[in-house]
């Protein structure tokens, strides 16, 4: 009986699929003829490939290859912003529902991503293929007021609500000692969750942390519309709802990359790297999530960051790695040293070439820190 193969050959996926079988790229060429419907004479070659790959037979080899091709192409679509990752909802003990996205592998070391304020899941989303390859099973909850997560009731503490959200997610998915991965303004939430859930997590990796907007000096590295928003957050919060309404127009005029460019110096190496990246689809997706609840999540984050302490104490049980760029103009390295330096189990990893966009320009540093944190936790287990 003939079986229909619902898969197409892709040169982009051929290398990763060959590697998954433990073969060289050229060794799987006979599969191309099969997937293109012209492989009637390739039976002998397929049997040899199946034997080298350890597959029971050619039928199993072809089915698995088709699955891997589809999986990798789906990962690439997610990484490029052509497709959102799968999402679910979770309900915390107060009955508040929130949305979370799934990235990476189906099994492996669990990671919970604590997104930043402006670019949301974009820096993580572009690493979908690498996350799967490295065996990270990543959950990205949208904080209250972002995406499909219900906004906070008036007067509720954002940190308390986020810890409840994480507690519900960990319980719902039965996550065993996940690593928390925070980005930019998510660091405050990551530290709060690490302190309160320390017995249930493996550690914290905080990338390009930006923990406070209490004084104008702390956002002097920003420019244009982003400076106005930060200034209003610190000194004139009553202006923020109006600024949120103007946000869409500003992005339409300046382009979504302006979200990142305002954090970099003109003519800098980081700005040059950014200009070469095709991030527009990813940033558009993240901004849709940002605005879905009318900017309520941003307003809650402003409240959180205005409360941000100059010295955030982590419990002695929490292993934390802070990955930061020496060229970060918005959250200078000296501020990070003042905030987190000298704390037990806290490690500061610095790239002097990186700036505020470290997650985009040097993602390998983030992935290495994740691997190290997960390995250290497994060694203690």
């Amino acid at each position: 009986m003939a079986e229909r193969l619902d898969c197409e050959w892709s040169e982009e996926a051929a290398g990763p699929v060959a590697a998954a079988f433990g073969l060289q790229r050229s060794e799987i060429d006979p599969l191309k003829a099969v997937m293109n419907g012209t492989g009637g004479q390739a039976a002998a070659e397929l049997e040899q490939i199946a034997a080298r790959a350890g597959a029971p037979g050619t039928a199993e080899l072809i089915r698995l290859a088709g699955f891997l091709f589809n999986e990798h192409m789906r990962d690439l679509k997610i990484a490029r912003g052509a497709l959102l990752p799968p999402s679910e909802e979770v309900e915390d003990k107060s009955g508040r529902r929130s949305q979370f996205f799934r990235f990476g592998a189906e099994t492996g070391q669990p990671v919970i991503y604590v997104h930043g304020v402006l670019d949301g899941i974009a820096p993580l989303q572009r690493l979908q293929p690498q996350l799967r390859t490295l065996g990270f099973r990543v959950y990205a909850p949208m904080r209250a007021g972002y995406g499909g997560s219900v906004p906070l009731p008036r007067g509720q503490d954002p940190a308390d609500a986020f810890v409840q959200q994480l507690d519900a997610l960990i319980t719902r998915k039965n996550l065993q000692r996940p690593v928390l991965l925070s980005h930019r303004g998510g660091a405050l939430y990551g530290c709060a969750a690490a302190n309160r859930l320390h017995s249930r997590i493996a550690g914290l990796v905080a990338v390009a942390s930006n923990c406070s907007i209490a004084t104008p000096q702390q956002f002097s590295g920003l420019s244009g519309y982003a400076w106005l928003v930060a200034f209003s957050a610190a000194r004139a919060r009553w202006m923020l709802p109006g600024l949120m309404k103007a946000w869409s127009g500003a992005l339409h005029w300046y382009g979504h990359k302006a979200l990142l460019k305002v954090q970099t110096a003109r003519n800098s190496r980081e700005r040059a790297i950014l200009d070469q990246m095709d991030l527009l689809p990813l940033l558009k997706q993240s901004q849709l999530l940002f605005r879905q609840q009318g900017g309520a999540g941003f307003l809650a984050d402003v409240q959180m960051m205005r409360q941000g302490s100059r010295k955030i104490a982590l419990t002695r049980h929490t292993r934390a790695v802070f990955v930061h760029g020496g060229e970060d103009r918005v959250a200078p390295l000296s501020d990070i040293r003042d905030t987190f330096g000298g704390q037990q189990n806290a490690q500061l990893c610095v790239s002097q070439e990186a700036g505020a966009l470290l997650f985009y320009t040097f993602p390998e540093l983030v992935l290495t820190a994740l691997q190290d944190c997960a390995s250290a936790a497994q060694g203690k287990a």
Side-chain angles (χ1 to χ4, degrees):
M1 181 177 68
E3 181 177 336
R4 183 176 181 272
L5 184 64
D6 189 16
C7 176
E8 293 183 5
W9 176 268
S10 165
E11 289 296 336
E12 285 185 289
V17 170
F21 283 126
L23 303 172
Q24 297 297 316
R25 160 64 186 82
S26 58
E27 292 183 277
I28 65 168
D29 278 341
L31 282 171
K32 182 176 182 179
V34 174
M35 291 184 179
N36 290 338
T38 60
Q41 306 301 318
E45 293 174 291
L46 289 174
E47 288 178 1
Q48 294 176 9
I49 296 173
R52 290 196 296 271
T58 57
E60 291 80 6
L61 172 75
I62 294 170
R63 291 191 193 102
L64 180 55
F67 171 81
L68 292 174
F69 268 92
N70 286 336
E71 180 181 77
H72 190 73
M73 292 309 298
R74 186 168 59 252
D75 284 351
L76 290 177
K77 288 179 180 178
I78 290 172
R80 292 166 181 168
L83 180 69
L84 270 173
S87 71
E88 299 179 46
E89 285 190 345
V90 64
E91 185 175 299
D92 66 20
K93 62 183 180 182
S94 68
R96 186 172 47 249
R97 300 189 67 80
S98 60
Q99 179 185 28
F100 66 91
F101 289 96
R102 274 282 286 113
F103 295 94
E106 303 306 318
T107 60
Q109 170 65 47
V111 175
I112 297 177
Y113 179 64
V114 188
H115 64 78
V117 176
L118 295 181
D119 50 355
I121 61 174
L124 180 78
Q125 186 171 343
R126 64 190 298 265
L127 299 182
Q128 167 65 18
Q130 294 95 314
L131 293 169
R132 184 184 297 280
T133 299
L134 293 173
F136 288 120
R137 177 167 44 111
V138 187
Y139 300 81
M142 296 285 98
R143 287 193 296 278
Y146 288 97
S149 297
V150 177
L152 288 179
R154 190 176 184 84
Q156 182 166 4
D157 182 69
D160 288 342
F162 181 68
V163 172
Q164 289 180 24
Q165 182 184 17
L166 254 60
D167 180 65
L169 175 61
I170 291 171
T171 301
R172 159 86 175 273
K173 290 299 182 180
N174 192 27
L175 304 182
Q176 303 300 312
R177 294 180 59 76
V179 175
L180 301 183
L181 171 63
S182 70
H183 183 229
R184 299 306 279 169
L188 281 173
Y189 292 95
C191 289
N195 281 339
R196 301 189 204 181
L197 302 172
H198 62 84
S199 63
R200 302 179 68 185
I201 67 167
L204 167 70
V205 175
V207 182
S209 303
N210 185 19
C211 299
S212 176
I213 51 173
T215 67
Q217 289 78 14
Q218 289 171 293
F219 50 83
S220 60
L222 294 171
S223 61
Y225 195 84
W227 181 91
L228 181 60
V229 171
F231 179 85
S232 301
R235 292 297 180 87
R237 194 164 181 252
W238 58 270
M239 293 176 57
L240 286 174
L243 287 172
M244 287 301 95
K245 292 180 180 179
W247 190 261
S248 297
L251 290 178
H252 178 75
W253 181 263
Y254 294 109
H256 285 74
K257 267 196 178 181
L259 291 169
L260 306 182
K261 282 189 175 181
V262 294
Q263 303 179 61
T264 65
R266 186 175 296 176
N267 299 322
S268 66
R269 180 174 181 269
E270 190 171 49
R271 177 76 67 89
I273 295 175
L274 175 64
D275 287 339
Q276 295 173 7
M277 294 180 178
D278 183 14
L279 299 175
L280 184 59
L282 286 170
L283 294 174
K284 281 185 175 180
Q285 278 188 352
S286 283
Q287 277 303 295
L288 287 174
L289 295 171
F290 178 96
R291 300 195 305 269
Q292 191 171 330
Q293 303 286 348
F298 173 79
L299 297 178
D301 283 350
V302 166
Q303 175 186 338
M304 181 73 172
M305 294 183 75
R306 289 191 67 184
Q307 298 169 357
S309 170
R310 297 289 293 171
K311 191 71 175 177
I312 301 173
L314 290 165
T315 66
R316 62 185 179 86
H317 305 286
T318 302
R319 173 180 173 80
V321 181
F322 296 89
V323 187
H324 212 77
E327 295 297 319
D328 193 327
R329 301 160 61 237
V330 181
L333 182 58
S334 58
D335 288 357
I336 300 302
R337 285 199 171 105
D338 290 343
T339 304
F340 300 107
Q343 298 196 39
Q344 187 177 4
N345 286 342
Q347 178 184 1
L348 179 60
C349 298
V350 179
S351 170
Q352 294 296 343
E353 295 182 343
L357 306 184
L358 183 151
F359 211 141
Y360 294 92
T361 55
F362 293 94
E364 65 278 4
L365 299 181
V366 178
L367 296 173
T368 298
L370 264 183
Q371 289 176 297
D372 290 346
C373 191
S375 297
Q378 290 169 3
K380 290 182 180 181

